[in-house]
Amino acid sequence: MSSLSTSWAVNMSALKRTDQLKDVKRIHIQGLSSARRLMTECDISTLASFFVLYEATNQELSEFEVLDRMHAVLTAMRAALREGLEHPNRTPSDMIDGGAFLMNTFIEGGGSLLCTPFSLVVRNALAAAENNACMGRIVAAPTAGASGVLPGAYLTIADQHAVPDERVIQGLFVAGGIGECIAIQASLSGSRHGCQAEIGSASSMTAAALTSLFSDDQNAIESAAAFALKNVLGLVCDPVAGLVEIPCVKRNVMASVNAVASAEMALAGIKSVIPFDEVVQAMDRIGCDMPNSLKETSLGGLAATPTAVRIAARFENRRT
Amino acid sequence: MSIFDVMGPIMIGPSSSHTAGAAKIGYLAHRVYGKPISRVQIALYNSFAETGWGHGTNKAILGGILGLRVDDPRIKRSFEIAAQAGIDVTFEQKIDPEKHPNYASVTFRDADGSHPFVVEGISVGGGAAKIVRINGAGVDFSGKHNLLFVTYRDTPGMMALLGDGLGARSINVAYAQISRNKNTGEAMAIMKLDQPCPDELVRYFRSQPGITDVVAINKLGSEYERTEED
């Protein structure tokens, strides 16, 4: 067991909870509101604590094991970001060609339009997403195609604020819990519900995790998750030539920036009028209404543009 | 669903279905084959065939066949690794609308091309995969249970022999399926077991007259799904 677990032991033993939850075999939730109802009933103060308990109970693991596993996720996520920054990333299709590296040169040249940390979010989201496109080792959170969002926004900002690992890991449970609530009520799959389910979910998870780093107000966390998902409702999955490259990589950047903006709005005290679960249910219905041509089939949207069709034709003979 | 299905898997990119799922098919296929590899022929179907080159599906499935886990960076170099090991690898791409969109067929052979052993699998999304056919017989194996796979000459008493061997060791059969090829007179039994089949029992079955092959596959445990150690 890592040293991390030892330091967590103190926090976890302080976790207040009634015997009601202690002895249950399985914790069922229907969404975020039912999770929050359970939290109130059992006097659990944070989403992070709740989802640690949820995972430990449902997977029959100790809380330490669950925390250690998330520590491994954090380590892998950081490594994926590092790998994406090491050298220009180029895919066999040449459609991804060193974007993060160009961003880095731009930042070093003082080109940032707002401030360097903002540009770092952009650069890091690119780096992590490009690393995925180039067969790097990544954490699919929630999917491989959206694996640049948490490293891009969440890890970058946590680093900027020197947030201790324990707190960063707690935030990853918030992210995972929000993703779980989306999976329960809708889907995390682009082929089922379009890009809104992948990039939208990643952005929502990241916004909630970011908010949790700076506030213990669970309403603010919920609002941040709702804002981020609302902003990308209807986003379609239309990858050029069927590859996780165009537009996926840049949508990771959009989702990262959206997550930061959503977290800031929530931290400012702005409340989402539509509750998170209802936003997720809307996403589910939109996903069902979406035509198949816009669900990862590459038959519509950007994938059906003249340029994309030309690119796809160029790759026809590369099926080896 | 586990929180780590959302925050994971840790895998080699770029696609959970076309890369991680393909690697898992390869890994399971080799577990089913259960012998060192000399020649392997891999057929990728439909979406695997069409976009596989850009998703590294070929590298991933070969990596899995070589025993690499879905998060092993050596997947990128699987062709090199196979070449160094002297394994003869061939690939083909096929379209068959009757088959699952992400379908792969893996044929293992002895070095001289004899004894083909065909394992077919599908990638079902999120990095999950399962074997659906072994030498033509339909199965459903995703690594979540213990599997015993026996080929034998189609003669009376074979099921009793297998059942006795397992029963004597308190191994419970959860599911069994038998089939035979009338032309060759060869039959096969596929069983899901509640307990793993010990090596000693595999050797015993192999030594019995009429039995031509025995493969026991234990369910995938932490050695496949294990998280990072640092």
Side-chain angles (χ1 to χ4, degrees), chain A residues 15-312:
Chain A
L15 182 81
K16 283 192 231 159
R17 111 172 68 109
T18 63
D19 292 337
Q20 203 180 335
L21 262 192
K22 208 173 182 179
D23 299 324
V24 295
K25 289 259 186 291
R26 203 166 169 79
I27 302 175
H28 288 286
I29 56 169
Q30 287 87 44
L32 188 59
S33 51
S34 71
R36 293 192 59 191
R37 226 174 9 250
L38 263 182
M39 284 167 60
T40 313
E41 280 169 23
C42 301
D43 206 12
I44 295 171
S45 58
T46 68
L47 278 169
S49 305
F50 175 78
F51 280 107
V52 168
L53 187 63
Y54 174 91
E55 181 71 10
T57 307
N58 292 356
Q59 305 299 322
E60 295 176 9
L61 297 168
S62 72
E63 284 166 2
F64 302 129
E65 284 171 316
V66 169
L67 290 164
D68 269 356
R69 240 185 123 178
M70 195 60 94
H71 186 226
V73 165
L74 174 61
T75 306
M77 209 176 258
R78 282 196 174 127
L81 175 54
R82 236 181 358 254
E83 196 182 341
L85 287 168
E86 260 166 19
H87 48 75
N89 301 298
R90 189 166 292 123
T91 54
S93 71
D94 292 331
M95 292 196 294
I96 299 304
D97 191 6
F101 233 68
L102 286 175
M103 264 310 293
N104 195 52
T105 312
F106 175 78
I107 295 166
E108 284 177 353
S112 295
L113 301 184
L114 284 177
C115 56
T116 301
F118 176 84
S119 305
L120 289 178
V121 167
V122 176
R123 182 198 71 179
N124 289 354
L126 279 174
E130 287 176 355
N131 182 44
N132 175 61
C134 295
M135 293 192 83
R137 186 173 187 270
I138 58 99
V139 181
T143 63
S147 63
V149 185
L150 275 162
Y154 184 65
L155 293 189
T156 307
I157 289 174
D159 264 12
Q160 288 291 317
H161 290 265
V163 179
D165 273 5
E166 286 160 46
R167 185 90 191 200
V168 176
I169 288 168
Q170 278 179 303
L172 291 178
F173 277 100
V174 173
I178 291 294
E180 177 86 356
C181 291
I182 297 173
I184 289 168
Q185 300 176 92
S187 168
L188 299 170
S189 154
S191 59
R192 282 193 61 197
H193 278 359
C195 194
Q196 55 170 2
E198 296 206 18
I199 277 295
S201 300
S203 197
S204 182
M205 290 158 59
T206 304
L210 273 174
T211 307
S212 79
L213 291 184
F214 304 103
S215 170
D216 284 329
D217 177 358
Q218 307 304 300
N219 289 321
I221 295 172
E222 174 166 353
S223 280
F227 291 145
L229 188 55
K230 279 194 283 188
N231 290 348
V232 292
L233 283 182
L235 194 64
V236 301
C237 181
D238 49 356
V240 173
L243 304 178
V244 191
E245 300 186 21
I246 309 284
C248 321
V249 168
K250 274 103 182 171
R251 283 194 186 155
N252 275 269
V253 177
M254 179 277 291
S256 300
V257 173
N258 180 44
V260 179
S262 298
E264 287 196 353
M265 286 192 284
L267 289 166
I270 305 173
K271 290 177 180 62
S272 176
V273 172
I274 312 290
F276 172 76
D277 283 339
E278 290 185 34
V279 177
V280 176
Q281 288 151 18
M283 191 266 266
D284 185 48
R285 280 191 300 275
I286 293 167
C288 293
D289 289 343
M290 203 177 268
N292 263 329
S293 60
L294 301 174
K295 292 182 187 174
E296 213 176 318
T297 53
S298 297
L299 297 171
L302 283 173
T305 57
T307 302
V309 170
R310 267 199 307 278
I311 290 170

Side-chain angles (χ1 to χ4, degrees), chain B residues 45-92:
Chain B
Y45 285 81
N46 304 335
S47 181
F48 266 7
E50 283 170 350
T51 64
W53 65 272
H55 285 136
T57 305
N58 49 0
K59 293 175 186 173
I61 193 166
L62 180 59
I65 289 168
L66 297 170
L68 305 180
R69 296 194 328 270
V70 291
D71 70 331
D72 194 321
R74 288 175 296 176
I75 280 178
K76 277 174 98 165
R77 299 188 289 108
S78 61
F79 278 85
E80 227 175 283
I81 295 167
Q84 278 162 6
I87 299 170
D88 179 21
V89 181
T90 50
F91 266 94
E92 51 187 337

Side-chain angles (χ1 to χ4, degrees), chain B residues 117 134-135 148-154 158 162 179 186-190 205 208 210-215:
Chain B
F117 191 104
I134 300 173
N135 289 332
L148 181 65
F149 181 79
V150 184
T151 49
Y152 53 93
R153 260 199 328 275
D154 187 24
M158 296 309 283
L162 296 175
S179 60
E186 190 158 80
M188 66 180 119
I190 296 165
F205 283 146
Q208 296 303 299
I211 289 185
T212 45
D213 199 9
V214 182
V215 177

